[in-house]
Amino acid sequence: GVDYKRWASGKFKVMTDELSKGEAALVDVDGKLLRVVDIVVVKVTKETKEVLAEVEEEVGDPGGEVVRTTLNWLPAVKRRPDENMYVAGKRCVNKSLGIDENAVTFDTGSVLIAEEEKESQTFPGLNSLYRKRIITANIVTDESNVTI
């Protein structure tokens, strides 16, 4: 079993929400629970070969205290069972970056796949297998009918 009492307040609900949405699964591997998460990472590029990355996150009130966290990573989402990697990629581009999903085209020939198993930072004591699909999205150069 997993000692969920080690988790920060509210994380048990985060886990149950993640499982109910299909964003993760728990599987039994040799009598131990393993959390499996499919992640779609989107590498958004322009013709100039520039890559869009999430550099920093600000959390807090605009008029009050704001906490900044350095990220320096490519945008990503957890893939749901009703999505293929490109549908999840469009959701990532739209929800995470605020870019119209029609403003990008996906390079289907350059998909990279990586797996990493490690203890979850969010859920201490629970090993997680992260299956990452890294897809490239190119910004459409004709932006006459696209909102960004």
Side-chain angles (χ1 to χ4, degrees):
V2 176
D3 182 10
Y4 66 88
K5 292 176 182 164
R6 291 180 44 203
W7 301 352
S9 176
K11 292 303 179 185
F12 189 80
K13 175 149 180 25
V14 170
M15 168 64 76
T16 58
D17 288 348
E18 186 180 77
L19 293 171
S20 68
K21 291 178 189 174
E23 294 177 339
L26 292 176
V27 296
D28 182 329
V29 178
D30 299 325
K32 292 188 176 188
L33 281 180
L34 177 68
R35 175 175 161 256
V36 179
V37 184
D38 282 331
I39 298 173
V40 175
V41 179
V42 183
K43 179 180 168 187
V44 181
T45 65
K46 292 180 14 179
E47 287 179 353
T48 58
K49 304 298 179 202
E50 294 173 292
V51 176
L52 181 64
E54 291 182 283
V55 177
E56 188 176 75
E57 177 181 56
E58 291 183 357
V59 178
D61 291 326
E65 185 178 334
V66 175
V67 177
R68 289 187 172 91
T69 306
T70 302
L71 302 175
N72 290 327
W73 61 35
L74 296 174
V77 293
K78 295 174 187 168
R79 187 179 65 83
R80 299 185 306 238
D82 62 322
E83 298 176 317
N84 65 38
M85 67 180 131
Y86 300 109
V87 172
K90 283 185 173 196
R91 180 168 54 88
C92 179
V93 165
N94 187 269
K95 300 285 188 203
S96 299
L97 303 174
I99 297 174
D100 186 306
E101 65 183 47
N102 297 312
V104 298
T105 58
F106 291 105
D107 181 357
T108 58
S110 68
V111 177
L112 299 173
I113 299 174
E115 287 191 356
E116 178 183 24
E117 185 175 333
K118 63 181 183 179
E119 183 174 333
S120 171
Q121 291 180 342
T122 307
F123 310 110
L126 180 61
N127 278 353
S128 295
L129 174 63
Y130 299 98
R131 294 180 178 150
K132 299 177 187 177
R133 288 173 178 78
I134 304 159
I135 59 177
T136 300
N138 301 302
I139 299 284
V140 175
T141 53
D142 176 21
E143 297 178 7
S144 59
N145 60 356
V146 178
T147 57
I148 299 180

